[in-house]
Amino acid sequence: MDDYTWRRRLSERRRRREREKLFIGFFFLLIFGGIFFYFSVYTKTPEYAMREMVAAFKAGDANTFRRHIDLNSVTTAAYDDLTSDLFKYDTQLSDRERTLFENFYVLIRRQMCNGAVKVINTYLDTGEWTLPGGILKGRQLGVDYDILLDRSLIRHTSLIDLEEVELLEEEATATFAVVEEYSQVPFTLKVTIKDLANESFNIGGKEFEILGRKIKFPGLSFNLSGSDWKIVRVENYRGYLDAVSPILRQNLAEYIDDTAEIVYRYNRTFEEEQDIFITLQRSSSGIMTAEQRAEVADYISGTVIPSLESRQAELDQIPIPQGAQFLASLRKESTRISILAWQSYIKGITENSAADLDTAASLHKQELVFDQRVEEIVHNSAVARNLPELP
């Protein structure tokens, strides 16, 4: 091998080694740059926060999910959307009463929203939908909270996935695909996200005009010292209610119509049985004799309870549209509790048990709560707008 050839090969080998070093250096630069970008930039973006929130929700990680949503702000805005016309079509209210209720519901917004936050937090922690209790228990504030939750759709809305996150100056928006489980109506919820750390930096996300064409470059918002991206409002919640509620209420109206004859017939039966029950208890001394107690017990177990069971059996034969599931479950629960109350009453009068009579009275109060909920639903009490007339 001559000297020229040897020097050329040596030069080529040297250049190849330099290229390999450059390639390896560039490769490691990309890796470390990617790691730096991911942990120092991308993890501080609203997109990362929303993806982490969705993953946490699906995994049942309540604390991580809560970290990315300002429940107080979200529920306050949603409450305004839900109750903006809550009493508009309540035919049982006079104009004066309607105005009073509307003003009153503005005044109690804080208590109602605090209750919603408590309900949501309990669901995130336990997977169970419960009622908040306290001042929201019963009807102290005018409307049954259970019915209000049902009309909010929150208990039967499923999160499918995150669709898109867009940076807008100092805040961002995100869209989520959801579906209402009863009607199977798909919907895209749009939310506003803010960095509550208030120290974020924005890169890009602006629109430029180049050669007469408008081009929008993707944007990033991050904070090298930390960020706190949270959902603060659902922008189109009212639109979601208007898209789903009419379908559910139409289902409800059809179910009420299909069961009207059964309800009417058994209501007449229950009135007759109540008259007989009152007659059987009459006594000149105000205290039933042992024979009366036995006769009343036989009448309840042989007539009243079978009537309740028969009515429920007939109702169970009627197909239940998805939008009527709540009403059907209320009726079934009312029947169950009523039977338990009568059974406790029988035990109380036959065994002279004050404890069982107290239990019967307590169960009867629970039954009245369910019955009132049923009546409010059937008679269209305090419903949202754009809903069909109910029988």
Side-chain angles (χ1 to χ4, degrees):
M1 179 185 299
D2 58 30
D3 186 61
Y4 171 76
T5 301
W6 181 81
R7 284 198 302 270
R8 187 180 65 183
R9 289 184 177 179
L10 187 62
S11 178
E12 288 177 353
R13 185 181 303 171
R14 189 183 301 113
R15 285 196 296 270
R16 185 170 61 251
R17 288 177 178 174
E18 290 175 353
R19 287 196 299 269
E20 290 174 350
K21 290 179 181 179
L22 285 173
F23 176 78
I24 293 173
F26 182 70
F27 177 74
F28 279 105
L29 181 64
L30 283 178
I31 293 177
F32 287 114
I35 294 173
F36 174 81
F37 177 82
Y38 181 83
F39 286 103
S40 297
V41 179
Y42 180 68
T43 57
K44 308 299 189 297
T45 64
E47 180 176 356
Y48 176 84
M50 293 301 96
R51 295 197 181 282
E52 185 178 51
M53 185 189 74
V54 171
F57 181 79
K58 293 181 177 181
D61 183 352
N63 290 330
T64 300
F65 179 85
R66 268 191 289 260
R67 197 167 68 237
H68 297 303
I69 181 168
D70 185 346
L71 285 176
N72 290 317
S73 296
V74 169
T75 54
T76 298
Y79 174 82
D80 292 340
D81 287 336
L82 179 62
T83 62
S84 59
D85 54 7
L86 185 65
F87 301 97
K88 186 174 182 179
Y89 290 96
D90 189 337
T91 57
Q92 296 183 341
L93 296 176
S94 66
D95 290 341
R96 179 178 178 277
E97 289 172 330
R98 186 175 294 107
T99 300
L100 288 174
F101 267 105
E102 289 172 348
N103 293 336
F104 182 59
Y105 264 66
V106 172
L107 294 175
I108 63 171
R109 176 201 289 168
R110 181 177 59 83
Q111 292 91 334
M112 297 291 280
C113 292
N114 287 345
V117 170
K118 182 177 180 181
V119 168
I120 294 171
N121 276 325
T122 300
Y123 173 74
L124 292 174
D125 291 329
T126 67
E128 299 290 333
W129 292 108
T130 60
L131 297 178
I135 193 174
L136 301 176
K137 184 177 181 180
R139 298 172 185 279
Q140 298 181 66
L141 299 184
V143 166
D144 191 289
Y145 207 86
D146 199 16
I147 294 178
L148 195 67
L149 282 178
D150 191 66
R151 287 170 178 155
S152 74
L153 307 181
I154 187 173
R155 293 187 294 197
H156 35 94
T157 294
S158 292
L159 172 64
I160 305 302
D161 210 347
L162 173 68
E163 289 189 341
E164 182 184 19
V165 178
E166 182 179 6
L167 182 66
L168 303 169
E169 297 298 335
E170 295 184 357
E171 62 182 34
T173 62
T175 53
F176 294 88
V178 301
V179 63
E180 197 284 318
E181 295 172 352
Y182 288 166
S183 66
Q184 289 300 301
V185 170
F187 197 81
T188 299
L189 285 176
K190 182 178 181 180
V191 305
T192 294
I193 319 165
K194 290 187 178 181
D195 185 357
L196 301 186
N198 261 340
E199 299 175 355
S200 59
F201 298 93
N202 299 321
I203 298 178
K206 296 184 180 297
E207 197 171 67
F208 299 91
E209 186 171 330
I210 302 177
L211 298 177
R213 297 183 61 185
K214 290 185 177 181
I215 299 176
K216 185 171 184 178
F217 291 96
L220 287 175
S221 181
F222 63 95
N223 186 341
L224 293 177
S225 62
S227 62
D228 188 23
W229 288 101
K230 291 181 183 289
I231 295 175
V232 296
R233 180 183 174 91
V234 180
E235 295 295 337
N236 58 345
Y237 177 57
R238 181 72 246 181
Y240 178 51
L241 294 174
D242 289 342
V244 174
S245 295
I247 298 173
L248 298 181
R249 295 300 173 177
Q250 186 60 49
N251 287 171
L252 181 62
E254 293 168 357
Y255 176 72
I256 291 173
D257 185 60
D258 290 343
T259 58
E261 188 277 330
I262 297 173
V263 172
Y264 177 81
R265 175 161 41 89
Y266 275 95
N267 281 346
R268 303 290 78 75
T269 298
F270 294 150
E271 288 176 2
E272 294 173 2
E273 292 176 353
Q274 185 180 35
D275 290 340
I276 296 174
F277 170 73
I278 293 173
T279 301
L280 291 175
Q281 290 189 105
R282 285 176 183 164
S283 171
S284 57
S285 64
I287 301 175
M288 288 191 293
T289 64
E291 292 77 10
Q292 277 182 299
R293 291 169 184 260
E295 187 177 5
V296 169
D298 289 342
Y299 181 73
I300 294 172
S301 60
T303 302
V304 177
I305 291 178
S307 292
L308 288 166
E309 293 172 337
S310 177
R311 187 191 74 152
Q312 189 58 50
E314 289 192 38
L315 289 174
D316 289 342
Q317 295 301 311
I318 304 298
I320 306 172
Q322 291 294 350
Q325 294 290 331
F326 186 56
L327 174 59
S329 67
L330 287 177
R331 283 175 168 171
K332 181 171 288 189
E333 187 66 6
S334 173
T335 300
R336 186 186 72 84
I337 292 177
S338 181
I339 291 173
L340 290 176
W342 282 117
Q343 290 172 340
S344 294
Y345 182 77
I346 291 173
K347 190 175 181 181
I349 62 174
T350 56
E351 299 180 11
N352 198 26
S353 170
D356 286 302
L357 290 175
D358 289 342
T359 298
S362 176
L363 288 169
H364 181 60
K365 289 180 181 178
Q366 293 181 40
E367 177 206 344
L368 292 177
V369 171
F370 281 98
D371 289 345
Q372 189 167 359
R373 288 176 183 169
V374 169
E375 287 300 307
E376 288 180 349
I377 293 173
V378 171
H379 292 103
N380 202 18
S381 297
V383 297
R385 61 177 173 157
N386 300 328
L387 305 181
E389 287 291 325
L390 302 181

